[in-house]
Amino acid sequence: MLGNTVVVENIAIAKDIIKKERMRIVTTDGDLIESSGAMLGGWYKKKAPVVDTKKYLNEIKTIELENKKLWKEIRTLKKKIKELEIKEKKEIRGTSSLEKEIAKTEKNIFSLRNKRKKLYDEKSVLENKISGLKIKRAGLEAKLSNLRMEKEEFKDIKNFYNISVDELKEGIRKVIIEINALGPVNLRAIDEYKTIDTEFGELKEKLDKLLEEKHAITKTAEEIEKKRYKKFMETLIEISKNFSRIYSDLTSGDANLRLVETEDIDSGLIIEAQPKGKKMLNIDSMSGGEKAVTALTFLFAIQQYKASPFCILDEADAALDKVNTKRIIHLIKKYSKNIQFIVITHSDITIGEADKVFGVSMENGVSKIFGIKMPKE
């Protein structure tokens, strides 16, 4: 049987079955009897094509094999379901055991929490007691300290237990004499003290204010001094460079400027120069001509750093020879583009290089000034 269709060997068997029960029947010859009794194909329909019974049989076998396979899988699945049900029951029992264990643990935790709270309460009570005892102890220590101080105040007092009455009276008499020697008590002393104390407070307040102002002024002065030192050193460095360069141009020698004390700009300035072929000398150790050249070099170094509107030289060339005089005149001409030079001199070389010459002559005992404009080359 395949579904609602019965497969039989021949039509005769099919007829017997159809008489007893209405169902769809197929013979191996290819005849088909419907459940209504209608017959098709096979023996009754000779012109119909022959049914391939082997094919049907193979399909039937295949279906039967698949059916067996399905039944086998069903049995396997039922077995697995049974195993899973057993496992589920075990897990349920295990879960129940765990729940009991959890409940027991929670109960223990609750109990421990209560114990901990109780211990905390006891600890708090003990801490309060300890604090109270510490306060009490501090009070007792303070009292003890006061008693010791009081005892210290009376350390010089003699022990009167072994002193006779006469000795005590004599001591009292001496004390009375000392009190009388102090003279009358100044009842206004307290008021005077208050007045003086008030004045002292006011003076102290003024003093504190003055000290603050002094501190502020000192701080400002220090800042100004720092700026002053910085600016001075910057200026000195530049002038020293100019000084070295100008001196080298004049004499082919070396020269420099430096402070007596490096950190103190008020300590003084040392001017050193080394004319060509000579050793380095301080300006105090130079000859008159060397001093003049060095001093004029220093003057021109300053003018090169920051020129002034005019410059007066009073017989600056008096100690110079002709060569150095010409060199100085060359410098004067160089800087005269920005500076007006007034030179007092007796040197014909200097006079000859001037733009204008003013002379003083004596006529009939009276000084007379005259001017000459020198011709330009």
Side-chain angles (χ1 to χ4, degrees), residues 58-218:
N58 289 333
E59 288 180 358
I60 290 168
K61 287 180 180 179
T62 301
I63 291 169
E64 287 177 349
L65 289 172
E66 289 179 356
N67 191 25
K68 288 179 181 179
K69 187 177 179 181
L70 288 171
W71 275 109
K72 187 177 180 181
E73 289 179 359
I74 289 168
R75 285 194 295 273
T76 303
L77 289 172
K78 284 182 177 180
K79 186 178 179 182
K80 286 184 178 180
I81 289 169
K82 191 172 182 179
E83 290 175 355
L84 289 171
E85 287 175 350
I86 293 168
K87 188 176 180 181
E88 182 183 8
K89 289 178 181 179
K90 288 181 179 180
E91 288 180 353
I92 289 170
R93 286 196 296 271
T95 303
S96 177
S97 176
L98 285 172
E99 287 176 351
K100 290 179 181 178
E101 189 69 27
I102 289 168
K104 184 178 178 181
T105 304
E106 287 178 348
K107 186 177 180 181
N108 291 334
I109 290 170
F110 181 76
S111 176
L112 290 171
R113 283 177 179 170
N114 288 334
K115 287 181 180 179
R116 185 179 67 178
K117 185 177 181 301
K118 187 177 179 181
L119 290 172
Y120 278 152
D121 293 339
E122 291 177 358
K123 179 185 175 184
S124 179
V125 171
L126 290 173
E127 285 177 348
N128 291 332
K129 286 183 179 179
I130 290 169
S131 297
L133 290 172
K134 285 181 178 179
I135 293 169
K136 190 174 181 180
R137 178 186 174 185
L140 292 172
E141 287 179 349
K143 287 182 180 179
L144 179 61
S145 178
N146 292 333
L147 290 172
R148 284 174 178 170
M149 290 175 66
E150 290 178 5
K151 179 183 176 183
E152 192 68 20
E153 290 177 1
F154 297 103
K155 67 179 181 179
D156 296 330
I157 297 176
K158 296 179 180 179
N159 191 346
F160 296 103
Y161 296 115
N162 299 322
I163 300 175
S164 64
V165 175
D166 293 335
E167 288 176 341
L168 288 172
K169 287 181 179 179
E170 181 63 22
I172 292 169
R173 188 183 68 80
K174 289 180 179 179
V175 170
I176 291 171
I177 292 171
E178 290 176 358
I179 291 171
N180 292 331
L182 293 174
V185 177
N186 184 5
L187 299 176
R188 296 183 60 189
I190 296 174
D191 295 333
E192 290 176 358
Y193 170 78
K194 289 180 179 179
T195 303
I196 293 170
D197 185 60
T198 303
E199 291 177 357
F200 174 77
E202 292 174 354
L203 290 172
K204 188 176 184 304
E205 186 177 350
K206 290 180 181 179
L207 177 63
D208 293 339
K209 188 175 181 180
L210 288 172
L211 289 173
E212 288 179 4
E213 292 176 355
K214 177 188 174 184
H215 178 71
I217 292 169
T218 303

